[in-house]
Amino acid sequence: MQSKWTPYPWVCFSMCVGVMGTALASPLYPIYQQAWGLQPSHITQIFVAYMFGALASLLFLGRLTNRFGFLVVLRGGLILMTLGIISSALAWNVPSFAICRFVIGVASGLITTSASVGMTQLNNKGDLQRAAATTSLTIAFGFGLGPVVGGLMAQWLPMPLKTAYLPSILLGFLAIYALFQVRIPASANTSAGGLSFRDVMPALSQPRRPFLRHYMLGCMAAFSAFGMFSLFAALAPSFMQNMVPWHGPLVSGLSIGIILFMSAGIQLLARPVATKKIAITGFFALAASNLLLMANTQLGSPWLFALSVLTTATGHAMCNLAGMSIVNKVSKPANRTGLLSTYLIIGYLGTIVPILGLGWLSDIMGLTPALVVFCLSLSVLTTVLGVFSLRARVLPIPRQ
């Protein structure tokens, strides 16, 4: 790791390691549930604590990348992430674990925003469509790696609520070290002075008026994809018990990881496709996946569950790729950080609002009826968004 090495792969690696740490706890929730005697609403509250941290980070720390440069913020985010994961391994009850998840959420917002901006700035070819695909691909791969590694460790090693976090901690130290070795071009270093009150005010932005409708469709693509993923990340180990004959943290971790690994592969293959076609496919695929999952609450077929996982992966891939592509198309370097933060804020709201509602309904009417309400609502929403995408005009592909 010499300073002469190009920073681009290390920024990709750091983003992957960062988001890996955020999703690692998902297959561990049933173990926490059994060890601490938790209800489904407790699991959703712990999951949402992370989302509130990420939301706070995007709202109040979104301008730090513009002020100090993406590399400084990315280093700080990874250090905070690693500390949060170490603390998670030491958590002893719901409040302590929720605080750890909140810290991890703050770090996730810093890492996602700074690394996304950095990957765009370091993209030598100036192809914003390629930069969007690479960013979305890296996020999906990192999120997928987390639950697979966590589930694998928890399935076979003793003290799973501690040992499952070791790989992420070690990779976090490696990423931090690497980021202190690389050097970035002067044009990508935007560090300018100290921190001011204005820098921690909410960094929400909107694009020029002709692109507002496209931007909102992109944001709602993130809302829908994040919402569907949060269902699997928070409660898949619970509702899978009636749908597949295999159980354990490795099985639930693989189900989450497969969705995101397939999402990453689909995004790679779909990169040359027009953004409008990607958005339309993504919305209708998510609608279909919700209908399949809703039907399988009654049928309990592992094959139908596998088909719902496939369509979920397709919808997640296409919606995330379309959303990132739209953000890059309607933004300029001066407002890209603000538009990206707003995009991610709306995406994280998609993980907070629906999953909290699902947890609340689960305590009242049971998990299965609540899951039906969730799937029906998201199916209707994504169908409507798919129709709007059909009627939207095509945006040109810009070059930096």
Side-chain angles (χ1 to χ4, degrees):
M1 280 179 287
Q2 303 296 322
S3 59
K4 65 181 181 180
W5 284 25
T6 175
Y8 189 84
W10 289 116
V11 172
C12 295
F13 174 76
S14 299
M15 175 185 264
C16 184
V17 170
V19 297
M20 171 187 170
T22 67
L24 188 145
S26 293
L28 306 180
Y29 287 142
I31 304 177
Y32 282 111
Q33 195 169 6
Q34 184 177 11
W36 295 347
L38 307 182
Q39 299 293 324
S41 59
H42 293 135
I43 298 298
T44 58
Q45 288 165 17
I46 291 172
F47 183 79
V48 166
Y50 153 75
M51 296 301 171
F52 274 120
L55 191 60
S57 177
L58 294 169
L59 276 172
F60 300 107
L61 305 178
R63 289 194 180 98
L64 295 187
T65 299
N66 287 340
R67 170 64 67 178
F68 298 108
F70 77 87
L71 187 58
V72 173
V73 177
L74 183 55
R75 288 169 179 164
L78 270 171
I79 292 172
L80 189 61
M81 173 68 70
T82 305
L83 291 175
I85 294 171
I86 294 173
S87 301
S88 297
L90 303 176
W92 63 92
N93 58 15
V94 172
S96 63
F97 190 43
I99 292 172
C100 296
R101 296 298 297 170
F102 180 85
V103 171
I104 288 173
V106 173
S108 174
L110 293 173
I111 292 169
T112 304
T113 303
S114 59
S116 298
V117 172
M119 290 167 68
T120 300
Q121 291 181 2
L122 297 173
N123 177 27
N124 295 327
K125 296 183 179 181
D127 187 345
L128 296 183
Q129 182 85 344
R130 175 178 178 269
T134 305
T135 301
S136 190
L137 178 68
T138 304
I139 291 174
F141 183 80
F143 266 117
L145 193 62
V148 171
V149 171
L152 182 65
M153 299 289 286
Q155 187 81 30
W156 303 112
L157 293 183
M159 297 188 296
L161 299 184
K162 298 185 183 299
T163 55
Y165 294 99
L166 289 177
S168 187
I169 293 171
L170 295 176
L171 289 174
F173 283 132
L174 174 60
I176 292 167
Y177 177 77
L179 289 180
F180 277 97
Q181 304 307 308
V182 301
R183 298 292 181 268
I184 61 174
S187 59
N189 189 355
T190 57
S191 180
L195 184 67
S196 66
F197 179 74
R198 185 176 180 274
D199 293 322
V200 294
M201 292 297 290
L204 300 178
S205 301
Q206 67 178 39
R208 291 166 290 169
R209 186 173 295 274
F211 304 121
L212 184 58
R213 181 179 179 183
H214 296 86
Y215 180 69
M216 289 310 301
L217 282 173
C219 291
M220 289 306 297
F223 181 96
S224 304
F226 282 33
M228 192 63 186
F229 172 72
S230 70
L231 172 65
F232 279 86
L235 292 176
S238 299
F239 67 72
M240 281 176 59
Q241 294 180 6
N242 300 322
M243 296 185 182
V244 296
W246 314 283
H247 307 291
L250 180 59
V251 175
S252 57
L254 280 173
S255 70
I256 301 167
I258 286 172
I259 289 174
L260 292 168
F261 287 141
M262 290 180 62
S263 174
I266 292 169
Q267 289 178 59
L268 185 64
L269 295 174
R271 195 180 71 186
V273 180
T275 302
K276 180 175 179 176
K277 293 181 180 179
I278 293 173
I280 294 168
T281 304
F283 283 130
F284 285 123
L286 283 182
S289 69
N290 278 278
L291 293 176
L292 289 169
L293 192 60
M294 183 173 62
N296 207 32
T297 60
Q298 304 299 320
L299 300 176
S301 167
W303 298 108
L304 195 59
F305 179 76
L307 185 58
S308 71
V309 167
L310 176 61
T311 52
T312 297
T314 303
H316 183 272
M318 295 300 198
C319 283
N320 276 310
L321 180 56
M324 287 299 301
S325 297
I326 290 171
V327 170
N328 279 344
K329 286 182 177 182
V330 303
S331 64
K332 293 182 178 296
N335 68 346
R336 183 163 293 135
T337 299
L339 290 177
L340 179 62
S341 293
T342 306
Y343 165 82
L344 291 172
I345 285 168
I346 295 175
Y348 281 122
L349 284 175
T351 63
I352 292 173
V353 177
I355 204 67
L356 275 181
L358 177 59
W360 176 70
L361 286 175
S362 296
D363 286 351
I364 295 175
M365 62 175 63
L367 181 58
T368 298
L371 182 61
V372 170
V373 173
F374 179 97
C375 292
L376 183 61
S377 301
L378 194 55
S379 179
V380 171
L381 174 64
T382 49
T383 299
V384 171
L385 292 170
V387 173
F388 283 153
S389 298
L390 280 168
R391 301 176 62 183
R393 66 182 179 87
V394 176
L395 284 172
I397 299 178
R399 308 286 293 190
Q400 266 189 329

